[in-house]
Amino acid sequence: NTQRTLYSHAFEQIEHNISIVRPGMSFREFSEKSWTVPSDYIPHRYLVVVHGMGMAGEHPIIRQQIDWDSMGGDGIFEPNMTLCFESFIGHKDGGEGVKLEEHVILGETGIERLSTYKYDDRLAPS
């Protein structure tokens, strides 16, 4: 049950955030509209909701809304950006956690998924 709940939240965060991104959107606007991490999971949140694809810390690095004022850096999503959507969901009291990541190319009219793995049907929400 715990894994299903954690996985469901992580899945929902990734899918919601992918669904709202578009060329011309500012990083701040994206952060403001991104999935809100439930309060019990905020202490162990992943600080980055989206980053560029590369070896480490690639542009753009887009922070959670809660962290925007202290660490955010604005910019604009552009067509043909390769992006990594991130999620880590772990309860404030510790224990288990779920980390998911989805790689995409942002096109003029939508996204193309680059990830070849599938979500676990036993844990993903239906």
Side-chain angles (χ1 to χ4, degrees):
N1 238 358
T2 299
Q3 275 292 303
R4 275 199 185 96
T5 298
L6 297 171
Y7 195 98
S8 180
H9 286 318
F11 176 89
E12 186 178 339
Q13 182 177 25
I14 295 276
E15 293 302 313
H16 171 82
N17 290 344
I18 288 172
S19 77
I20 65 169
V21 69
R22 66 182 190 285
M25 177 182 247
S26 75
F27 300 160
R28 177 183 280 279
E29 179 186 1
F30 175 84
S31 182
E32 289 169 352
K33 291 180 176 180
S34 67
W35 188 81
T36 302
V37 176
S39 61
D40 284 347
Y41 304 99
I42 287 175
H44 296 294
R45 71 192 172 281
Y46 205 69
L47 294 177
V48 175
V49 288
V50 178
H51 62 82
M53 194 177 298
M55 293 300 287
E58 300 294 333
H59 176 79
I61 296 175
I62 301 159
R63 308 290 180 170
Q64 300 273 0
Q65 177 57 36
I66 194 171
D67 301 307
W68 187 266
D69 289 338
S70 62
M71 294 186 269
D74 213 358
I76 301 292
F77 285 103
E78 299 176 25
N80 300 315
M81 281 183 151
T82 54
L83 303 168
C84 303
F85 288 80
E86 298 266 11
S87 177
F88 176 78
I89 301 293
H91 197 273
K92 66 182 180 184
D93 296 333
E96 302 174 42
V98 170
K99 163 86 168 61
L100 295 178
E101 182 171 348
E102 187 74 23
H103 300 177
V104 307
I105 296 175
L106 180 61
E108 291 282 349
T109 59
I111 59 106
E112 174 187 348
R113 290 179 189 251
L114 300 175
S115 302
T116 58
Y117 63 89
K118 295 183 186 251
Y119 292 112
D120 189 321
D121 291 336
R122 297 167 300 170
L123 297 173
S126 51

